[in-house]
């Protein structure tokens, strides 16, 4: 894991964009994507780059169970609005949260990941240290699976919904081992609200109590922080 701290989110995003650009120039074929507010500026930079991405396949980390792609709170909708409708990707993939058989859907998605090994994965981090929707306690050898969302995650994400009751209780997420298979990873974290999770991820023990701490075991993971999220690091 390489930890880089920048003055603010804008400079941090600039660095993430540079890494992305290098990977793209080196022939990136599969791009792993995350949702949430943290990568929004990075996506803005990518969609205005004017690049031809017709050889690039995308795979997203996760999707809520029970939200259709037409629902503005679904991750499918977010990706369409922030990136996909502006770019000519070869194919774009998200778990189908409306699938009748969720277990079968997880297997289908894992097969897509096998066929499209991720060259570069973009990640955010939840205030409880989750990556994708892998909540504390998720085994490191997990693959794509259905999760029950932690109350703190539903609380953190309720800002995107009209009422807290509307936040889904379940999601489909790539597992921790699916995420760790990526050749290179960029994790972005901004603001003091992430400082505790960042300290545990970077300086705590590698433990499933903080799923993101597994990135200490990844040789090509870039942890890109602003001063706020790095505020509780000792080193
Ligand atoms: C959600 C997503 C994660 C994301 C996290 C942080 O729970 N499933 O992939 O990293 O939120 O979101 P934000 O960037 O809005 O803080």
């Amino acid at each position: 894991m390489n930890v880089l701290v920048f003055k603010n989110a804008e400079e941090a995003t600039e660095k993430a964009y540079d890494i992305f650009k290098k990977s793209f120039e080196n022939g990136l074929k599969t791009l792993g994507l995350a949702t949430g507010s943290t990568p929004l500026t990075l996506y803005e930079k990518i969609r205005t780059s004017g690049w031809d991405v017709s050889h690039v396949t995308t795979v997203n980390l996760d999707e809520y169970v029970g939200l259709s792609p037409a629902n503005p709170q679904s991750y499918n909708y977010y990706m369409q609005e922030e990136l996909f409708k502006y770019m000519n990707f070869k194919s774009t993939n998200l778990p189908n949260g409306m699938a009748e058989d969720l277990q079968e859907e997880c297997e289908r998605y894992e097969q897509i990941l096998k066929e499209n090994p991720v060259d570069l994965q973009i990640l955010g981090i939840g205030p409880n240290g989750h990556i994708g929707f892998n909540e504390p306690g998720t085994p490191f050898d997990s693959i794509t699976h259905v999760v029950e969302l932690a109350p703190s995650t539903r609380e953190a994400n309720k800002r995107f919904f009209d009422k807290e009751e509307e936040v889904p209780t379940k999601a489909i997420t790539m597992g921790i081992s699916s995420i760790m298979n990526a050749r290179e990873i960029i994790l972005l974290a901004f603001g003091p609200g992430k400082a505790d999770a960042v300290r545990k991820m970077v300086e705590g023990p590698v433990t499933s109590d903080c799923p993101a701490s597994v990135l200490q075991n990844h040789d090509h993971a870039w942890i890109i922080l602003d001063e706020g999220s790095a505020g509780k690091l000792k080193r």
Side-chain angles (χ1 to χ4, degrees), residues 35-38 61-62 75 124-125 130 132-133 153 157 159 194:
T35 53
S37 40
T38 309
L61 285 171
D62 45 16
Y75 287 167
I125 183 171
H130 73 227
F133 268 133
T153 298
N157 288 350
R159 64 189 194 277
K194 300 287 171 74

Side-chain angles (χ1 to χ4, degrees), residues 17-30:
Y17 182 68
D18 275 358
I19 296 171
F20 170 77
K21 206 168 141 214
K22 273 200 194 93
S23 175
F24 182 74
E25 285 162 359
N26 288 335
L28 166 134
K29 282 205 199 95
T30 304

